[in-house]
Amino acid sequence: MAENELLNQLEGLLSELFSGGSSNERIAEINQRLDNFSRQSESWKYCLYFMHHSEEHNVWMYSLNIIENFCTRLWATLLEDDQEKIWKSLWQLLNLHTSIPNFVRNKIVKVIVGITRVEWPRKHSDFFQTIYQVIENDSSTTLGLNFLKIASEELGTPRDDQVTTARQAELKTLLTREVTTMLPLLLQILNRQALKQKKSSQSVPPPSPVYPHSREADQTGKKVTFTPLDTISEEICSLCMKCLAHLFSWLPLSHFLTTDVIEVLFHFVMMGCESENDCTDSAGTLGHLALGCINELLQQSCVPKEFHLFLMHLFEKTFVLLKTLTEENDLNLKLNYASLDDRYLEKCNEYLRLLVSSHIRRVESNPLFPVVEFLVLFHNHTFKQPQLDGYYICLDAWTVFLDHVIASCQDIQSGRTPPVSQQLSYPEVLLHLMDAILKKVLMSFNTLELQDLDDDQLDADNETEWQAFIRQSVEVFAKIAELYPTDAFGLLLPLFQEYSQAYVSLQDCLVKRGSEVTLNISVEHIERLYTILRDLSTVTQMLGRLAEHFSGQHLLTRLESAKMLFQGFCEIADFSLKNEVYIMVTDDGSDNIEHLFIEVPAHSLGALNAFCRDWLPGYHLASLRGTFQDSKDVTAYIATLFQLGIPLLSREVPERIAVSAGQMLLTLTNTVRYCHSTQLPIVQQFIIEGSKGQFNSLPLLTRKLAYRVVSNIFVLPWPEMSDSQQHWDSRAHEHEKFMTGALKDFSELQTTLGLANNDAALANIKGLVLKSLTILEDVVLGVAEEATKPKNVLYSSVKKFIELSTNLFQPFLSFSDVLIALMSLFLTVFRSLSTQLGQGLTENTIQTIMQLLGRQSFQEMLANGDKLGCEIMEKFIHILIHQVSPSNSHLKVVLRNVVSFALESIYPVVSELAIPDVKSALYDLFTQILLNWRYVFPANVLSHVDQNKEESFKQNEQFVAIMEAYLKSFLQEDLNIFKQNIKALLELHKRYGLFAKLQFRNEMLVPFLKTLLGVLVHKSHDLLREEICAVLYSLASVDFALFHQEFLPAFLSNFNQLQPQQKSDLAFSYKTDEDFPSFIKNISQFASDLRYYLLLHSSLPQGSVRLG
């Protein structure tokens, strides 16, 4: 067919393809025709014709893609004359660079560079000299710079599917030699553009006392500003910096550690600060590109010794940058950060984060660098950020820096390191930072910014924008408080006293109207009240975060301050409770102010919770030990907490407050464990209400907290008392009486369950069952980490309910939510009370579940990925995991049954379904089974008397089946399960030498090697390359001779498409080193080269070149 006719057909097909009017079927048909044509052995010849005779850019790109494939994959199959023809034709087309679009021009350049990736320097040895000439020609500078950038990308960091590893190393070495020409050339171009851009104008502001030339100025003493660049100059500068950024990403630091680089880059960085309207756009673009280059420098992991001087120069330049950004100019006008280019500011923040968090410690001890003044400037920069993301990045940098300062102070205090003189002046900076953060989070100082923060919508972390802002700010404040706690409290306490007094003084403004509380306050005072409530909530939260500073060695020295705060929190909570401010309704219907009358008491309870966790237990213990002559305060505080918290566990109270109160009481009973709690009238009444089932009307979370609080009072041991003083018998009796009353309706199911013989009847009692199971699970969970005695007390109270629960599986088999609750309960029971349950009840329960939930039931549960079915299955598997855990001594007798059930009933159903959580649990079960080494291998093997003696397996078939299940997971896409199983196998090999066991070597070694090496070759799980290589090493190290001499040749023989010479090259280039680093390097190169050869030999379909 004539070439011109083919071209017409191609133009028609491409026009139709990109017109947007074709059906999906037609688009698929066109793509198939285009693909078939591209695979023809002579298609490249037609493509050269197409490009020389068509003006359609789609035709050019299609043709270039085909030619690129020949250059990358099939270059060696072409005759030398054909190769030269392609090379010359591409350069001829490139001569049209001024009349073709940039994307076409860049594609031609990329194809040309692709040819040099194969040929250079054997052919086209003058390639780079040609590029330099193109760059130096003013009419083609941008073309040459594009060449240089693409050459760095394609030759400096080629993909491993484009060339062999040996060629990659050769290219990098060759290209590194060119850097001595490239780098000066790029810097020369940038300097030339910088010089013609500068102009002199206003006088220079007073210089820094440390850096006399802290502002860029010309020789006449004028401050240098910048004229706007023309479009061509801007493009040239942009391309130069893109070249530099990519070179910096792979070249060793020693190749470009010169001050010349920093000087010219910071010229353009400083342009980003330019506020003149006619320069802003190009300045921001070039500024952010220059910062990108510098960031590439700072991200280098290997830092040579000479980097210190370079870093000092970098800090000096950054000092000037920060002064320019943050200081006032001659007209007392501050730079408006919001007017800066967004990309520039983002790169600037990223740069400063890298510098402050990773490198400032390298220069802080240098007397020539004013680290304190630098930190002051960074502080100013932090609080000028127009966007929260920029502020958060700066906080991240401060966090890392503060960790460094804290660690340094600890080293100095311990005598491990001598003091650093400049650190003596850090308090000025850090205390200023602490004060600024406080003002940043308070409405009184920062109304305009804070009022725009959203406090309704939750993000992925289940936080509102307001909550995330406060949390991240408070965390940095708390780190500074670790260094200067007295100063932190000095800032917070006066504010807390002011705001809390203002809050409780609202007493006369509150009016109770039936079930509502209204606020009798003028409209003009509402805004001020809103500010006070917001700030009181924030300051209370911050003080709660600092509760740890009143405990331990500071208990006595800060006792009075702690008491004052504790009483302040109690006063707020008490005022809120007595006046029921949480049911506030404002006359104007303002949701914001009503919301704060919930937030303030909730945060006061949260602060009390923190003090119950960090301060009150130590205070209580010190009182019991006689540290204080009078212990009335601590007992009064405990009584007060009960009096505040218990009334708030009510349906009438907003759940936000009720949950905060419940968590506070839970912490109190968990940590303090006051022995006279049951003598308090309010606690006695609370227990009576719970025993009558009155807690059941509460919302779920509040209800769980209430039951757990009462259970803690009875079962947790009292501090500083002997076992004989614990009154275990009476407490056990009271706890049993409480649980019997609380679960009275549930216990009656024992007699009525048989009458509920249909789904409708079961549905009527389902709600009761779910509530009861939730209560049981939560009280059992409360003793999970306790000693034997508390567990015994609790078990004696719940035993009959646990036994009743085992009878619920059968009738509620079709109720997924009840099955989930049952599985969750028994998982908790087995984990917490395994000793108390005994082997009989445990075995019976497991056998009951396994008999009811067979393979058919699992298939029905998991049909269509049912979420509830998956949850049931996952919890059941976790129950089995606990039972077969080596630490569990009770169920060895049924271990074989559990293994059989997992392999025969669970695995066949789960293995083919996309249910990652269930699969993950199942493979955890297999791992736990294998950790029962005495079950898998005979005991005499563990004696290690004769390491070469053949091991006999107790359960050979089950072992092989589990290994095959692991093997199958390596052929599936789920990266998390792949990683989990890799880790499990490595752990088993580390503990027991799994891969060296005779049965594994005989049956599984080669399949594992073949599968994992295949995965490495095909890059299907490339994110786990390191883990895969580690397992391959462990497998190969069992018998390196076998691996090198038998396995690898056999593995290569399976690839029939490879030529004998290629197989020989692969075998010859592979080094048989047996140390871990060398093996990893060698096997990675082997896989990479094999993959490259396989791609080269992708077959070409035969047939017509017809496109129509």
Side-chain angles (χ1 to χ4, degrees), residues 617-628 630-635:
Y619 186 26
H620 179 233
L621 280 176
S623 298
L624 292 176
R625 292 167 181 169
T627 304
F628 308 106
D630 189 355
S631 62
K632 290 181 180 179
D633 280 350
V634 69
T635 56

Side-chain angles (χ1 to χ4, degrees), residues 743 746-747 749-750 753 768-777 780 798-813 818-819 821-827 829-830 837 841 844-845 848-849 852:
L743 298 175
F746 182 65
S747 63
L749 289 178
Q750 186 72 49
L753 196 58
L768 170 63
V769 170
L770 289 173
K771 283 184 178 181
S772 303
L773 294 176
T774 302
I775 294 169
L776 275 173
E777 180 187 357
V780 171
V798 301
K799 178 181 179 182
K800 59 184 176 183
F801 303 115
I802 293 173
E803 292 174 346
L804 170 58
S805 299
T806 61
N807 297 327
L808 298 179
F809 281 101
Q810 176 69 54
F812 285 98
L813 192 59
V818 177
L819 281 182
L822 283 168
M823 293 293 186
S824 187
L825 168 65
F826 279 98
L827 179 58
V829 167
F830 289 140
L837 282 175
L841 182 57
N844 289 338
T845 304
T848 297
I849 300 174
L852 290 173

Side-chain angles (χ1 to χ4, degrees), residues 672-721:
V672 178
R673 306 186 179 191
Y674 181 49
C675 64
H676 300 301
S677 296
T678 54
Q679 296 176 19
L680 299 173
I682 195 167
V683 175
Q684 293 172 354
Q685 183 61 33
F686 187 56
I687 294 171
I688 291 171
E689 291 173 359
S691 65
K692 292 180 179 179
Q694 293 181 17
F695 294 170
N696 291 333
S697 63
L698 298 173
L700 175 61
L701 183 52
T702 309
R703 181 171 70 245
K704 290 168 66 175
L705 289 167
Y707 278 112
R708 179 83 81 87
V709 167
V710 175
S711 185
N712 282 354
I713 290 172
F714 287 126
V715 304
L716 297 185
W718 299 325
E720 298 297 307
M721 290 188 179

Side-chain angles (χ1 to χ4, degrees), residues 128 132 148 151 175 178-187 247:
F128 276 97
Y132 302 146
L148 208 57
L175 196 57
E178 293 292 332
V179 172
T180 54
T181 304
M182 285 185 203
L183 194 57
L185 178 60
L186 292 171
L187 296 180
L247 287 171

Side-chain angles (χ1 to χ4, degrees), residues 10 495 593 988 1080:
L10 177 61
L495 292 172
I593 201 82
L988 286 165
I1080 299 302

Side-chain angles (χ1 to χ4, degrees), residues 179-215:
V179 172
T180 54
T181 304
M182 285 185 203
L183 194 57
L185 178 60
L186 292 171
L187 296 180
Q188 180 185 6
I189 295 171
L190 288 173
N191 274 312
R192 188 162 59 239
Q193 296 295 331
L195 285 173
K196 72 179 184 180
Q197 186 198 9
K198 293 180 181 179
K199 69 176 183 179
S200 299
S201 59
Q202 57 197 21
S203 300
V204 183
S208 160
V210 180
Y211 297 122
H213 305 291
S214 62
R215 295 272 186 162

Side-chain angles (χ1 to χ4, degrees), residues 499-519:
Y499 298 145
S500 60
Q501 287 306 309
Y503 178 67
V504 298
S505 68
L506 292 172
Q507 176 75 56
D508 297 333
C509 303
L510 302 176
V511 180
K512 183 72 181 292
R513 296 175 182 171
S515 61
E516 296 179 349
V517 173
T518 59
L519 194 61

Side-chain angles (χ1 to χ4, degrees), residues 854-913:
R855 182 168 177 173
Q856 183 64 34
S857 296
F858 290 145
Q859 288 175 335
E860 294 172 0
M861 283 182 189
L862 302 176
N864 302 318
D866 179 68
K867 185 177 180 181
L868 294 178
C870 291
E871 190 173 350
I872 293 169
M873 175 72 84
E874 185 182 356
K875 288 186 181 297
F876 175 56
I877 294 174
H878 279 294
I879 288 174
L880 296 181
I881 289 172
H882 180 268
Q883 297 311 315
V884 302
S885 171
S887 60
N888 186 359
S889 59
H890 284 314
L891 215 61
K892 302 302 182 184
V893 67
V894 296
L895 178 58
R896 186 175 290 104
N897 293 336
V898 171
V899 178
S900 298
F901 187 81
L903 289 170
E904 297 168 12
S905 298
I906 303 179
Y907 179 70
V909 178
V910 170
S911 62
E912 301 300 330
L913 298 177

